[in-house]
Amino acid sequence: GYNPATKTFHSLRPPIHLPQEDAPISVVDYVLSIRSLSRWPNSTTALIDSATGRRIPYSDLIRRQKSLSYYLQDVLKLSRHDVALVICPNCVQVPILYLSLLSIGVVVSPGNPVSTGSEIARLVELSGPTIAFATSSTAHKLPKLRLGTILVDSPEFESMMTHTFDLDLNPGLGPTQPSQSDVAAILYSSGTTGRIKGVMLTHRNLIGVVALCRSSAVAAGERASPPVLLYTVPLFHVFGFIYSLKSVALMETVVMMPRFGLDGMLKAVGEFGVTDVAMAPPVVVAMVKSGSAERYDLSSLKSLVVGAAPLGKDVIAAFKAKFPAVELAQGYGLTELTGPVSRVLGPKESKKWGSVGRLYGLLEARIVDPETQEALPPGKQGELWVKGPTTFKGYVGDPEGTIDNMVINGWLRTGDLCYFDDQGFLYVVDRLKELIKYNGYQVAPAELEQLLQSHPGVADAAVIPYPDEEAGQLPFACVLRRPGCILDERSVMEFVAKQVAPYKKIRRVAFVNSIPKSPAGKILRKDLRKMVLAP
Ligand code: AYL
């Protein structure tokens, strides 16, 4: 509800209780304590590898997680505050690895496995890992770290997870009790400006988010059998990262798809009785457009949780017409708030088409006029500010002092233009920040601009989003050529494509006569957008 006196929106969901802030527990302790409340048996399947059909029950997951954490401590000598870089496609080993590292206080830092070597070098520079975990397909891109690179798809890793330790002989082994304010994970995001940054999330942040996710599961009511989730979202991104923790807490069965493909996903639904799928909007678009969806048995499917980028109203309408039995629940969130901020919950709320739902318990929000900084009432558009225990700790190093600009008196500025209706439903209208979202992935314009500016034929360049039905937005380069230079669209695109991960490629180019800038030299993106996108 909206409180006019404080001009603050409060959550309408039931209150959530978190552990005492000074209790020395890790997010893994919390996940396991929630798990112990579950009524599903330990024989419940925790993980399914969709490629091989291999199943790992919860009893086994817990054993493996413990063995691996002993191994990491005893043999690899990892300890509290070490940073571990994880560069892996989605696979069943990764959630077990996350839990093992977090349980002994090692900071988990997952990066996109399609990153190039130089992009990964940048992540290493930011977070300073001592060890990396990769697969045989990604390891070659990693630089040499002090403790080397461990392949999670190797027989050695399998034995690390099944090794037995005599705890009487090794009394020092076992979970570490961190302070909840310790950094637990470093995820990567470009935030509201500039280049990619390392987002520090604490154990407290992760505990908060697991508690939020649990509260919606409780509100949705217990299922007759354990939910079966399929993640099309990557485990290195905040959405997949926190889902991998909340699924263990709630004893859900998770189907891991190493490589996403629409037909593979639809087939897996029937094959494994998938009840819920977590996805970004382009997958919904693909489901609507696909001519083959009818061929698959989707009868087990109850709901899709869709987040990370805007979902068009017409897509929602087409989806409901095509799949009337499946609930489509939008969620909204951002890395700097450890993921979820709001979601649509239950069939009644999902009638609010286009809304990203209501605020989770634990969170408060304001809608602030970007010009006057005044807090606005329901129905008015402004920048969304959020306060709660899931606000990130800061950016690693933070040489630009970005956090001072981004968190003001505990309020995190999301950089999104939003409004609430008078029933507490949130709507995202536009993005005020520079960030481009291609298929739900973050693309930082400044990174591409720097690359373009290094081209000898380019005098100046700016990168802005170009609207696209399938991908959401395309990175669009506006290039000012050096006088006398013959540079065509293709060579601009190829120049960038050679140096970046595929999702960051420039997919459209315009040649301009000038790039509008403020007196301070800042690109005026709004003016540029008007200039090149006007009909
Ligand atoms: P990041 N509609 C419109 N824009 C969205 C939405 C949405 N539903 N969700 C995210 N965004 C945009 O850090 C918005 O601009 O995290 C926001 O500031 O990669 C930015 O994406 C943040 O991008 C969950 C868990 C959603 C995670 C998420 C998405 C996290 C995306 C729901 O339960």
Side-chain angles (χ1 to χ4, degrees):
Y2 178 67
N3 181 342
T6 58
K7 301 192 171 177
T8 300
F9 294 86
H10 298 274
S11 174
L12 293 162
R13 308 236 186 255
I16 295 170
H17 300 287
L18 294 184
Q20 286 267 290
E21 211 165 339
D22 55 4
I25 64 166
S26 75
V27 62
V28 179
D29 297 327
Y30 185 70
V31 162
L32 297 181
S33 73
I34 298 291
R35 196 189 81 94
S36 68
L37 305 174
S38 174
R39 66 185 176 94
W40 311 125
N42 256 339
S43 56
T44 303
T45 302
L47 297 160
I48 303 178
D49 179 341
S50 74
T52 62
R54 175 177 167 219
R55 286 167 186 264
I56 300 174
Y58 268 99
S59 49
D60 206 20
L61 174 135
I62 298 300
R63 254 200 310 271
R64 283 166 176 262
Q65 178 258 314
K66 280 203 182 120
S67 284
L68 180 58
S69 63
Y70 296 151
Y71 189 93
L72 298 175
Q73 286 178 315
D74 191 42
V75 183
L76 297 175
K77 305 291 177 214
L78 286 182
S79 63
R80 201 171 155 187
H81 306 308
D82 268 320
V83 176
L85 190 67
V86 180
I87 306 286
C88 298
N90 280 13
C91 57
V92 292
Q93 292 90 335
V94 169
I96 300 173
L97 174 64
Y98 284 172
L99 290 170
S100 302
L101 291 167
L102 290 167
S103 74
I104 57 169
V106 175
V107 180
V108 178
S109 192
N112 193 332
V114 304
S115 304
T116 63
S118 62
E119 287 166 343
I120 291 174
R122 174 74 188 140
L123 308 187
V124 167
E125 201 182 304
L126 281 169
S127 59
T130 47
I131 192 166
F133 293 86
T135 59
S136 34
S137 63
T138 62
H140 67 279
K141 295 188 284 195
L142 285 153
K144 265 212 163 52
L145 301 177
R146 193 161 61 78
L147 298 175
T149 295
I150 308 281
L151 297 182
V152 306
D153 53 354
S154 63
E156 291 78 23
F157 193 75
E158 181 65 23
S159 60
M160 291 177 201
M161 292 192 293
T162 47
H163 208 90
T164 48
F165 283 85
D166 189 340
L167 290 184
D168 293 333
L169 294 178
N170 296 281
L173 297 185
T176 9
Q177 246 100 60
S179 146
Q180 288 180 56
S181 60
D182 281 359
V183 177
I186 299 173
L187 269 49
Y188 300 94
S189 162
S190 65
T192 53
T193 58
R195 295 181 71 185
I196 189 157
K197 293 182 257 295
V199 178
M200 295 189 288
L201 303 175
T202 63
H203 284 271
R204 181 72 174 173
N205 292 153
L206 296 174
I207 288 169
V209 138
V210 171
L212 293 183
C213 293
R214 171 165 187 256
S215 73
S216 4
V218 170
E222 275 232 47
R223 303 260 177 101
S225 52
V228 181
L229 270 74
L230 188 144
Y231 300 172
T232 70
V233 291
L235 292 172
F236 70 84
H237 180 253
V238 69
F239 199 161
F241 184 78
I242 57 124
Y243 259 55
S244 69
L245 301 174
K246 81 106 183 182
S247 282
V248 173
L250 300 175
M251 286 189 84
E252 296 165 338
T253 299
V254 174
V255 180
M256 281 296 170
M257 263 182 75
R259 216 169 298 110
F260 174 74
L262 184 68
D263 285 283
M265 177 193 92
L266 296 171
K267 187 164 157 268
V269 170
E271 203 173 332
F272 304 110
V274 171
T275 56
D276 305 78
V277 188
M279 57 173 67
V283 185
V284 185
V285 176
M287 282 181 78
V288 165
K289 291 201 160 175
S290 153
S292 59
E294 287 81 359
R295 284 210 307 271
Y296 296 95
D297 171 15
L298 303 180
S299 57
S300 59
L301 199 55
K302 287 189 162 55
S303 86
L304 303 187
V305 182
V306 187
L311 184 64
K313 261 192 175 167
D314 41 340
V315 177
I316 303 176
F319 184 89
K320 297 210 168 177
K322 193 165 172 181
F323 304 99
V326 182
E327 204 175 294
L328 184 68
Q330 266 208 87
Y332 161 84
L334 55 163
T335 309
E336 284 82 355
L337 283 161
T338 325
V341 169
S342 69
R343 73 162 282 176
V344 172
L345 193 59
K348 226 166 124 198
E349 292 192 1
S350 71
K351 293 201 174 74
K352 287 274 183 177
W353 288 21
S355 169
V356 294
R358 287 169 156 162
L359 278 182
Y360 279 96
L362 291 179
L363 303 179
E364 295 175 318
R366 276 187 187 161
I367 297 291
V368 178
D369 186 316
E371 247 98 82
T372 64
Q373 305 286 297
E374 198 190 334
L376 302 170
K380 289 273 192 313
Q381 294 183 6
E383 185 181 12
L384 175 71
W385 292 20
V386 179
K387 194 182 239 180
T390 51
T391 304
F392 75 129
K393 186 166 182 163
Y395 294 114
V396 272
D398 197 15
E400 297 159 43
T402 315
I403 186 128
D404 302 331
N405 227 339
M406 210 172 164
V407 184
I408 297 165
N409 294 328
W411 289 97
L412 179 118
R413 303 172 55 176
T414 63
D416 291 311
L417 187 68
C418 300
Y419 70 93
F420 280 98
D421 71 11
D422 50 18
Q423 291 160 58
F425 287 91
L426 180 65
Y427 294 80
V428 181
V429 182
D430 198 2
R431 199 173 294 140
L432 299 164
K433 55 190 169 190
E434 295 171 4
L435 178 65
I436 298 171
K437 281 254 160 155
Y438 175 80
N439 276 348
Y441 288 107
Q442 287 205 11
V443 180
E447 199 181 321
L448 299 177
E449 284 158 6
Q450 277 183 3
L451 277 180
L452 287 166
Q453 281 153 3
S454 74
H455 189 290
V458 172
D460 202 358
V463 177
I464 57 172
Y466 188 90
D468 180 78
E469 196 192 355
E470 274 163 35
Q473 296 181 325
L474 305 177
F476 175 28
C478 304
V479 176
L480 177 64
R481 277 179 285 215
R482 260 187 217 292
C485 253
I486 359 168
L487 185 64
D488 62 5
E489 293 181 15
R490 243 199 45 204
S491 50
V492 171
M493 290 199 258
E494 278 171 6
F495 176 75
V496 174
K498 278 195 308 233
Q499 306 181 64
V500 297
Y503 68 95
K504 292 185 193 165
K505 283 185 198 170
I506 296 286
R507 287 167 201 268
R508 245 190 125 90
V509 180
F511 293 103
V512 295
N513 296 322
S514 69
I515 291 183
K517 293 217 174 129
S518 73
K522 204 169 146 42
I523 298 169
L524 297 171
R525 291 172 195 278
K526 234 179 167 172
D527 295 355
L528 183 64
R529 261 209 254 186
K530 265 194 222 133
M531 202 169 105
V532 292
L533 294 178

